[in-house]
Amino acid sequence: MIYLDNSATTYVKPKEVVKAVSDSLLHYSANPGRSGHKASIKTALKVEEVREKLAKHFNVSSGQNVVFTMNCTQALNLAILGSAKQGGHVVCTENEHNSVLRPLEQLKSQGIIDYSVAYQTNPIGIKLDDITRYVKDNTYMIICNHISNVNGSKADIKSIGNYCKDHNIIFLVDGAQSCGHEKIDMTDFHIDYLAIAGHKGFYAPQSIGALIMNDNFRPQPIIFGGTGTNSLELFQPSTYPERLESGTISTPLIIGLGAGIDFVESNFYEIVNKLDDLTTYLNYELTKLGITSYTQPENASGVIAFNIKGLHSSEVANILNDRYDICVRSGYHCAPLKHRALGTLEQGAVRASISYFNTFSEIQRLIFAIKHISKNFDK
């Protein structure tokens, strides 16, 4: 099997991650921070190590700025719903995932906020000018998908972050598709909230994400419950990250994420270069075949979206799966506004997404399969 659906979740995990998760089940299964016995304290200290790794990786001041979540969707919902301002206005972009669009629409339907969508005028990605034309006097947040999960469009988050700092606007970045192969310095880029998906670019298990915060803003809780502190109080504790982490956190997945961070940091430039090479090669070969690609030639993020004339994207994906044992994703990728912008609402798009563990020969086999499909199934 050739797995090319890594934008949904990475399939091959580093052996270091597998070992870390296995070891955690043997040695770190106590509930961290919930008891005073040595097993609980030992586990809590291990969790804090991972907080510090994330804080250092993204350059925020403290591990206390790291909130563990079930996934990137929960992290985005926490930032959006927990920061909502009555009568306020938000700007997002055409590249946003439904994990941004649906909470915004929910707030709008309740009469709490309004929001505007910025469309990119540059084929490479969102620029600052695309954003600022929608900013109003009551704009309190700008949300930007760093790299589109549909076609790899890349936003200029540094310029947007500088603007947000100058205008005291919360800057939330969706890093689901960029973390692990893009350098993101939250302090230098003036990012207030960064939502990450551990199971993608950090090669961690599924169901672990994080909201990483700088020192300027804090969301309010959207989930309430036990935190292990102030248990006699009926009000949520005021200290972070406990205020935002109700219930038992997933120690095995957090420890797996820690191992994934170590793997990425040890192999970062090899990962970047391999994604660049394989993305460029695949896109170039698709162009030679006359296939419609929605990914710009400059893109090196490992995400390629394309269609074969006369075939619905789901037909192509099914043929690739059934006849060639190649896994890709078709459809709309939970990003309806992006498909509207690309003009692909009727047929969606086929997405091949690459990881560090894919090989040149696998990409060659995909190209061969696409060539065969285009020749023999084109209607």
Side-chain angles (χ1 to χ4, degrees):
M1 181 185 73
I2 297 174
Y3 184 85
L4 292 166
D5 193 19
N6 294 283
S7 287
T9 190
T10 50
Y11 186 78
V12 179
K13 308 296 184 183
K15 63 182 185 298
E16 296 90 339
V17 170
V18 176
K19 182 178 185 301
V21 174
S22 177
D23 287 349
S24 75
L25 294 172
L26 294 172
H27 305 297
Y28 297 98
S29 285
N31 203 327
R34 292 298 196 271
S35 305
H37 54 71
K38 60 184 180 182
S40 176
I41 294 170
K42 175 185 175 182
T43 303
L45 290 173
K46 193 69 174 178
V47 169
E48 293 310 304
E49 284 182 18
V50 183
R51 288 194 206 275
E52 294 297 331
K53 285 180 183 180
L54 280 167
K56 182 179 179 182
H57 185 85
F58 293 110
N59 192 23
V60 295
S61 61
S62 167
Q64 302 308 300
N65 291 24
V66 175
V67 179
F68 290 117
T69 61
M70 183 173 65
N71 45 43
C72 191
T73 293
Q74 186 182 359
L76 289 165
N77 273 258
L78 174 57
I80 294 166
L81 300 178
S83 302
K85 291 187 178 182
Q86 182 68 50
H89 175 256
V90 175
V91 180
C92 68
T93 78
E94 69 174 48
N95 295 320
E96 305 312 321
H97 190 273
N98 274 336
S99 51
V100 168
L101 297 174
R102 287 179 173 173
L104 287 178
E105 191 63 27
Q106 177 68 17
L107 290 171
K108 181 179 179 180
S109 71
Q110 293 172 333
I112 297 173
I113 69 159
D114 193 12
Y115 71 94
S116 301
V117 178
Y119 288 84
Q120 62 186 60
T121 56
N122 185 309
I124 295 174
I126 291 286
K127 302 295 183 185
L128 177 59
D129 289 346
D130 299 326
I131 298 283
T132 55
R133 67 186 64 188
Y134 295 98
V135 173
K136 302 178 180 179
D137 290 341
N138 61 336
T139 299
Y140 68 91
M141 177 181 278
I142 290 173
I143 306 172
C144 195
N145 184 310
H146 188 192
I147 290 180
S148 166
N149 70 306
V150 177
N151 72 337
S153 294
K154 182 179 175 181
D156 182 6
I157 59 172
K158 186 169 185 178
S159 295
I160 299 167
N162 287 335
Y163 175 87
C164 289
K165 177 179 181 295
D166 291 343
H167 293 81
N168 196 35
I169 296 173
I170 301 170
F171 187 32
L172 166 60
V173 174
D174 178 355
Q177 299 298 333
S178 59
C179 295
H181 60 89
E182 288 278 341
K183 288 285 187 182
I184 302 176
D185 185 321
M186 290 182 61
T187 299
D188 186 36
F189 293 2
H190 301 296
I191 298 170
D192 297 300
Y193 300 147
L194 175 68
I196 72 165
H199 64 109
K200 297 185 182 184
F202 285 124
Y203 300 95
Q206 295 167 336
S207 291
I208 184 64
L211 180 67
I212 304 163
M213 308 175 293
N214 237 319
D215 296 326
N216 300 319
F217 301 97
R218 290 288 182 272
Q220 295 304 308
I222 61 173
I223 299 175
F224 299 83
T227 61
T229 56
N230 301 332
S231 293
L232 290 177
E233 299 291 335
L234 297 183
F235 297 99
Q236 200 76 355
S238 59
T239 56
Y240 291 85
E242 290 88 352
R243 182 167 172 78
L244 304 175
E245 287 182 350
S246 292
T248 301
I249 57 178
S250 182
T251 302
L253 306 186
I254 291 169
I255 292 174
L257 173 58
I261 295 165
D262 291 340
F263 174 81
V264 165
E265 291 184 346
S266 298
N267 299 278
F268 184 78
Y269 292 105
E270 289 87 348
I271 292 170
V272 171
N273 290 334
K274 190 169 190 180
L275 289 180
D276 188 347
D277 289 346
L278 295 183
T279 307
T280 301
Y281 172 64
L282 175 55
N283 211 7
Y284 175 71
E285 291 298 322
L286 290 179
T287 302
K288 283 171 56 178
L289 293 175
I291 302 297
T292 301
S293 173
Y294 306 103
T295 299
Q296 292 298 307
E298 299 87 348
N299 184 280
S301 65
V303 182
I304 298 284
F306 65 92
N307 273 318
I308 296 176
K309 184 179 178 181
L311 289 174
H312 194 277
S313 62
S314 61
E315 294 180 87
V316 176
N318 289 338
I319 295 169
L320 285 170
N321 180 66
D322 297 340
R323 299 190 178 215
Y324 300 95
D325 205 17
I326 297 175
C327 302
V328 296
R329 182 171 172 183
S330 63
Y332 302 102
H333 316 93
C334 300
L337 299 186
K338 186 60 178 177
H339 281 278
R340 182 182 300 167
L342 293 173
T344 52
L345 286 178
E346 282 194 19
Q347 64 183 129
V350 184
R351 183 187 69 191
S353 47
I354 300 165
S355 94
Y356 174 70
F357 292 100
N358 287 120
T359 65
F360 182 76
S361 63
E362 288 178 332
I363 302 303
Q364 283 185 311
R365 287 173 64 186
L366 172 64
I367 293 165
F368 170 82
I370 293 170
K371 183 178 181 180
H372 185 263
I373 294 169
S374 178
K375 181 179 179 181
N376 292 280
F377 292 89
D378 190 341
K379 298 177 182 177

